[in-house]
Amino acid sequence: MAYVITEPCKGTKSTECVNVCPVNCIHPTPDEPDFENVEMLYINPDECIECGACASVCPVNAIFHENDVPEQWKNYIEINAQYYQG
Ligand code: SF4
Ligand code: SF4
């Protein structure tokens, strides 16, 4: 199980979540080449420890626990995972 970034992050990429994640599982970070190319950031579901720190700092409330993702954004569970399947 993991936290998931959803639609409100698109076009925001404000990176507060990156700065608080204790296991650095949110990418791309601003210093990674892919940062300029993506619409939003993604959480690696294999590395997330479900601490919730990212969700509490997101200014647009884009981050939810996998079990609590609103119905209209459930596809983002797969979208986050796909970013890490290269
Ligand atoms: S804090 Fe929220 S809006 Fe900012 S990059 Fe993270 S998920 Fe996106
Ligand atoms: S829940 Fe914790 S470990 Fe998972 S992405 Fe957010 S800050 Fe990182």
Side-chain angles (χ1 to χ4, degrees), residues 1-5 17-18 20-26 42-44 47-55 63 65:
M1 300 301 274
Y3 275 67
V4 176
I5 301 179
C17 56
V18 170
V20 299
C21 179
V23 295
N24 298 317
C25 70
I26 305 174
Y42 306 96
I43 293 171
N44 186 333
E47 294 180 3
C48 175
I49 59 169
E50 303 177 62
C51 72
C54 54
I63 311 179
H65 186 272

Side-chain angles (χ1 to χ4, degrees), residues 6 64-65 68-75:
T6 65
F64 300 89
H65 186 272
D68 301 323
V69 176
E71 198 58 41
Q72 72 271 30
W73 293 329
K74 289 227 188 284
N75 56 322

Side-chain angles (χ1 to χ4, degrees), residues 4-70:
V4 176
I5 301 179
T6 65
E7 186 164 288
C9 181
K10 282 189 176 173
T12 308
K13 297 196 291 183
S14 59
T15 72
E16 286 92 338
C17 56
V18 170
N19 295 332
V20 299
C21 179
V23 295
N24 298 317
C25 70
I26 305 174
H27 298 276
T29 60
D31 59 353
E32 290 172 340
D34 215 18
F35 187 78
E36 296 304 323
N37 304 327
V38 295
E39 275 189 298
M40 57 175 281
L41 306 192
Y42 306 96
I43 293 171
N44 186 333
D46 295 329
E47 294 180 3
C48 175
I49 59 169
E50 303 177 62
C51 72
C54 54
S56 51
V57 298
C58 178
V60 293
N61 294 320
I63 311 179
F64 300 89
H65 186 272
E66 191 172 328
N67 287 340
D68 301 323
V69 176

